[in-house]
Amino acid sequence: RRCVQETGTWGYILMSNRYDAAVTRFSPSGHLFQVDYAFEAVKKGACAVGIKTKDSVIIGVERKATPKLQESSTIKKIFQIDHHLAMACAGLTADARVLTERTVLECQQYRLTYDQPPTVNYIAKFVAKVMQRYTQVGGRRPFGIGSLIVGFDQAKEPMLYLTEPSGSYSLWKACSIGHNSKNVTELLEKKYKEGICHEEGIKLAIEGLLEVVESGNKNMEIAYMQKDEKLVKMTDEEVKKIVEAIEKEKQPPAPVPGAAKKQLCFIK
């Protein structure tokens, strides 16, 4: 109070912001502001969608428009971290690259130690553990990304995990993260059905991204993984056909010729 009285507004700002000076300092309300800021970085990142079907897992990401002279292939949001595992990230791209490299290395070390591939749950737990560690050590900042980890477990069942900057992870049937993810999640809640087929899952993922992107198939990237197969990225032509089919369904039906005349005659 004395600081506020002597220095006025600036003193109040300093008092209110002192709890975000270090990631290890809790506010009186129980918040870690640096972690909250990391969540905000995820919300401002490109949208990512994940959907689990009865025989596959699908991930789609919003692809930002790139300058004419830039190679778009160098901007990645979907990463294959093992033969049966893939990851999509929303937030800071540099953080995603560093975290992905650590995850790939962990997959290789697991295979070398146990002579078998790691499970999806193990990798999701590893990623969450690394992210949580950066919320508990001074001199570092949390990862400004959220990730969707997809793959198949030992029983050949599709799995979809969500990890957050706080270090928590959870299993989902369908979810989205990143920019405008609230609207996409509402769409998924309305249209997702238990045990949907692979084709319906791809259509639903594209339909969800259409709630965010502005230029249709040009600004989205879709990939999927099926049982005993590697990650497959769909071409722009394949995505374009599905986008056109979705937009055609949204158009109102054309009026039947002669229907208006019959109605007028009936009124007379």
Side-chain angles (χ1 to χ4, degrees), residues 203 206-207 210 242-250:
K203 181 180 177 182
I206 294 176
E207 192 171 354
L210 286 175
I242 300 176
V243 170
E244 291 176 350
I246 294 174
E247 293 177 348
K248 188 175 181 181
E249 292 177 359
K250 293 181 179 180

Side-chain angles (χ1 to χ4, degrees), residues 17 25 28 31 33 46 50 69 79 117 122 134 146 161 211 225 237:
N17 290 342
R25 182 177 298 175
H31 285 276
F33 284 117
L69 300 180
F79 309 89
Y122 175 84
Y134 277 73
Y161 280 90
E211 297 287 322
M225 184 179 293
E237 289 75 15

Side-chain angles (χ1 to χ4, degrees), residues 5-260:
Q5 291 175 357
E6 291 180 355
T7 59
T9 304
W10 286 107
Y12 176 77
I13 294 174
L14 292 174
M15 291 280 288
S16 62
N17 290 342
R18 64 180 181 176
Y19 294 106
D20 62 359
V23 70
T24 56
R25 182 177 298 175
F26 281 95
S27 70
S29 60
H31 285 276
L32 290 172
F33 284 117
Q34 291 290 338
V35 177
D36 292 342
Y37 298 158
F39 273 97
E40 291 298 322
V42 175
K43 291 179 181 179
K44 293 182 180 180
C47 182
V49 181
I51 295 177
K52 181 181 73 172
T53 69
K54 63 180 180 180
D55 54 1
S56 66
V57 278
I58 302 155
I59 46 180
V61 295
E62 177 188 4
R63 187 167 55 190
K64 297 291 186 180
T66 57
K68 293 182 179 180
L69 300 180
Q70 184 181 16
E71 288 289 343
S72 59
S73 59
T74 59
I75 308 300
K76 292 184 179 181
K77 294 287 185 178
I78 299 177
F79 309 89
Q80 182 162 8
I81 55 181
D82 206 334
H83 294 295
H84 64 301
L85 294 170
M87 178 189 296
C89 299
L92 302 180
T93 305
D95 288 11
R97 185 187 69 250
V98 172
L99 186 59
T100 302
E101 291 175 353
R102 288 193 180 189
T103 309
V104 171
L105 181 60
E106 179 65 21
C107 290
Q108 296 173 351
Q109 291 177 346
Y110 190 96
R111 284 179 175 271
L112 183 63
T113 304
Y114 300 103
D115 196 24
Q116 62 181 1
T119 63
V120 188
N121 179 73
Y122 175 84
I123 292 302
K125 187 176 181 180
F126 168 79
V127 173
K129 183 179 179 181
V130 172
M131 298 175 79
Q132 192 277 336
R133 191 181 305 159
Y134 277 73
T135 68
Q136 208 170 2
V137 179
R140 297 181 179 181
R141 65 165 178 81
F143 282 91
I145 61 168
S147 63
L148 301 177
I149 301 174
V150 300
F152 284 81
D153 60 6
Q154 295 178 347
K156 304 299 181 181
E157 291 292 331
M159 309 290 284
L160 169 63
Y161 280 90
L162 166 67
T163 64
E164 297 177 315
S166 60
S168 61
Y169 71 101
S170 53
L171 184 64
W172 291 72
K173 299 176 183 177
C175 65
S176 66
I177 55 175
H179 171 65
N180 208 14
S181 61
K182 183 179 180 180
N183 294 340
V184 180
T185 301
E186 291 177 354
L187 177 69
L188 296 177
E189 291 175 351
K190 292 179 181 179
K191 296 193 174 184
Y192 181 84
K193 297 179 181 179
E194 189 74 28
I196 62 174
C197 66
H198 174 66
E199 290 75 15
E200 292 176 346
I202 291 178
K203 181 180 177 182
L204 183 57
I206 294 176
E207 192 171 354
L209 288 176
L210 286 175
E211 297 287 322
V212 180
V213 301
E214 298 178 355
S215 302
N217 63 294
K218 295 181 180 180
N219 287 350
M220 69 173 67
E221 184 177 356
I222 306 295
Y224 61 86
M225 184 179 293
Q226 293 178 305
K227 189 185 301 182
D228 298 326
E229 294 184 9
K230 293 183 178 181
L231 184 70
V232 178
K233 294 185 178 180
M234 298 180 64
T235 62
D236 292 340
E237 289 75 15
E238 292 174 336
V239 177
K240 183 179 179 180
K241 291 180 180 179
I242 300 176
V243 170
E244 291 176 350
I246 294 174
E247 293 177 348
K248 188 175 181 181
E249 292 177 359
K250 293 181 179 180
Q251 293 178 355
V256 180

